[in-house]
């Protein structure tokens, strides 16, 4: 399902025009990202948990040249689906 | 489950679109509900400004969902570490001792983690979960070295403190009153002895001068 289909589905569900649904979806997405940035996690009941995790620095070695490169630490986003969502996916 | 984050989002939505709190919360729930339904129908959902949710369909990972954030979103999340860059290490850089300390700390962490309660959620066996175990963190190592250094400094300070105490004790021995009086008595005896010797010498060498001094010239 691409973004357009998602917007159409959301507009049907909420009962507004696709333009409005698009603006709302964009705003919610922006707020979600801000929440990840400020809190580092977001729990959505019956959907799952988003968590920002720190990926530690590591030394990567080039197998051909044997050159070692220190890869810096990184903050990555993890998503863990809830058990309810997993059960729904298994059913479908 | 903690809904604080969702309430924050609903609150922001409420202010922008001048909605009631109930309606804003309904919109946020509908947003995630639509993603769930999309996953059921199409196995993947792309949401602009967020990323792509993909349902894994292999038998062993059935029901698991992979979320790939958009590049811009990933950059925003990684903003605090954005200034770091990969560095090519020289051959002279030795990381073995760092790894050794890191391993020690990792084992200690494992021991402490055992006490923590296990959550309800089942972990996805993706690569992101495995990497932290594999790569020993230099940061942890740095922390360990700092701790070790501080302990060492503390020990040094302790030894210096002890030795200074010892020196102080030598300078000003904490003796009782009797011993101190004995020493004073000894010093007095020596002084009196010296005076007696001087008097005897004067009496023997210059008896006339002594007589003159004592009885005056007649």
């Amino acid at each position: 399902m691409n973004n357009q289909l998602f917007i159409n589905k959301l507009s049907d569900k909420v009962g507004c025009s696709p333009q409005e649904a698009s603006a709302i979806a964009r705003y919610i997405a922006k707020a979600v990202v801000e929440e990840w940035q400020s809190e580092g996690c977001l729990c959505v009941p019956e959907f799952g948990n988003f968590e920002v995790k720190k990926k530690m620095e590591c030394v990567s070695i080039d197998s051909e040249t044997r050159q070692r490169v220190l890869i810096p630490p990184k903050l990555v986003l993890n998503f863990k689906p809830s058990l309810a969502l997993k059960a729904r996916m298994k059913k479908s | 489950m903690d809904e604080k984050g969702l309430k924050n989002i609903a609150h922001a939505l409420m202010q922008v679109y001048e909605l009631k709190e109930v309606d804003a919360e309904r919109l946020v729930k509908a947003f995630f509900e639509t993603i769930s339904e999309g996953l059921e129908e199409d196995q993947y959902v792309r949401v602009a400004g967020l990323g792509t949710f993909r349902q894994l369909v292999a038998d062993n990972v059935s029901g698991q969902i992979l979320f790939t954030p958009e590049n811009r979103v990933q950059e925003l999340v990684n903003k605090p570490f954005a200034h770091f860059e990969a560095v090519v290490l020289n051959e002279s850089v030795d990381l073995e001792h760092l790894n050794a300390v890191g391993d020690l700390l990792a084992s200690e962490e494992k021991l402490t983690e055992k006490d923590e309660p296990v959550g309800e959620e089942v972990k996805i066996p993706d690569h992101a979960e495995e990497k932290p175990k594999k790569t020993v963190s230099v940061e942890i190592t740095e922390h360990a070295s700092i701790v070790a250094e501080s302990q060492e400094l503390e020990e040094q300070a302790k030894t210096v403190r002890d030795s200074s105490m010892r020196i102080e004790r030598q300078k000003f021995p904490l003796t009782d009153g009797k011993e101190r009086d004995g020493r004073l008595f000894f010093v007095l005896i020596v002084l009196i002895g010296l005076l007696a010797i001087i008097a005897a010498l004067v009496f023997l060498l210059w008896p006339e001068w002594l007589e003159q001094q004592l009885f005056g010239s007649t």
Side-chain angles (χ1 to χ4, degrees):
Chain A
M1 181 183 276
N2 60 22
N3 188 54
Q4 192 55 51
L5 286 171
F6 170 75
I7 296 295
N8 291 341
K9 202 170 174 65
L10 184 66
S11 68
D12 288 344
K13 202 175 186 69
V14 177
C16 62
S17 68
Q19 286 79 18
E20 283 175 324
S22 173
I24 288 167
R26 206 173 302 137
Y27 190 81
I28 291 174
K30 193 184 157 200
V32 166
V33 174
E34 278 172 10
E35 192 69 20
W36 289 337
Q37 281 183 290
S38 61
E39 299 295 322
C41 66
L42 176 68
C43 301
V44 185
E46 295 180 9
F47 186 76
N49 289 0
F50 294 94
E51 201 179 355
V52 176
K53 279 192 175 180
K54 187 180 171 188
K55 200 172 160 185
M56 291 300 186
E57 57 268 59
C58 59
V59 179
S60 157
I61 303 171
D62 191 328
S63 55
E64 286 180 7
T65 60
R66 307 298 298 167
Q67 193 178 42
R68 296 181 303 167
V69 179
L70 181 67
I71 309 293
K74 198 179 178 184
L75 292 173
V76 289
L77 196 61
N78 256 6
F79 172 65
K80 283 183 189 174
S82 68
L83 293 174
L85 184 65
K86 272 186 177 182
R88 274 176 74 174
M89 293 304 116
K90 275 183 184 171
K91 272 186 191 175
S92 63
Chain B
M1 198 174 273
D2 182 27
E3 289 188 37
K4 193 185 156 197
L6 276 190
K7 284 196 173 166
N8 286 346
I9 296 165
H11 196 73
L13 202 66
M14 204 171 80
Q15 285 176 336
V16 173
Y17 290 96
E18 293 175 358
L19 294 167
K20 285 180 187 172
E21 196 177 347
V22 184
D23 291 333
E25 279 180 13
R26 196 171 59 87
L27 273 177
V28 178
K29 278 180 185 169
F31 177 84
F32 288 105
E33 183 61 29
T34 313
I35 297 173
S36 305
E37 287 173 10
L39 280 169
E40 274 182 298
E41 287 172 19
D42 268 0
Q43 273 88 46
Y44 94 95
V45 180
R46 192 185 158 268
V47 184
L50 213 63
T52 309
F53 294 87
R54 199 177 296 276
Q55 189 190 344
L56 303 177
V57 286
D59 290 339
N60 55 345
V61 288
S62 174
Q64 291 187 358
I65 293 154
L66 192 70
F67 172 63
T68 316
E70 281 184 359
N71 286 339
R72 197 183 62 83
V73 173
Q74 181 53 53
E75 279 170 16
L76 283 172
V77 169
N78 191 43
K79 208 175 177 182
F81 289 170
H83 58 282
F84 287 126
E85 283 179 8
V87 181
V88 178
L89 295 172
N90 292 330
E91 283 180 11
S92 57
V93 178
D94 184 23
L95 294 171
E96 274 182 20
H97 64 288
L98 294 178
N99 290 345
V101 179
D103 286 337
L104 191 71
L105 274 169
S107 61
E108 277 176 11
E109 273 180 8
K110 271 180 194 172
L111 281 172
T112 52
E113 273 172 14
K114 275 180 186 174
D115 302 334
E116 289 174 10
V118 182
E120 283 181 359
E121 299 289 341
V122 181
K123 283 186 177 180
I124 307 170
D126 59 359
H127 297 295
E129 293 281 323
E130 290 167 8
K131 279 196 175 175
K133 278 184 191 170
K134 196 173 137 192
T135 58
V136 175
S137 71
V138 176
E139 197 193 70
I140 287 173
T141 321
E142 277 173 6
H143 176 69
S145 63
I146 289 163
V147 169
E149 215 170 274
S150 64
Q151 279 175 352
E152 208 173 287
L153 282 171
E154 261 176 40
E155 276 173 21
Q156 279 178 3
K158 204 181 167 187
T159 50
V160 168
R161 232 179 292 139
D162 288 349
S163 60
S164 64
M165 285 280 278
R166 245 177 274 135
I167 291 162
E168 288 288 314
R169 274 176 199 163
Q170 282 169 3
K171 272 185 188 172
F172 308 102
L174 301 171
T175 50
D176 51 356
K178 282 180 184 174
E179 201 174 327
R180 213 178 298 156
D181 290 347
R183 282 188 183 184
L184 276 171
F185 182 71
F186 176 74
V187 171
L188 272 172
I189 294 279
V190 169
L191 279 173
I192 289 166
L194 277 172
L195 282 171
I197 289 165
I198 291 165
L201 281 172
V202 169
F203 181 73
L204 287 171
L205 294 173
W206 302 285
E208 290 168 1
W209 177 79
L210 191 68
E211 202 174 328
Q212 203 176 351
Q213 289 293 321
L214 287 171
F215 305 110
S217 59
T218 51

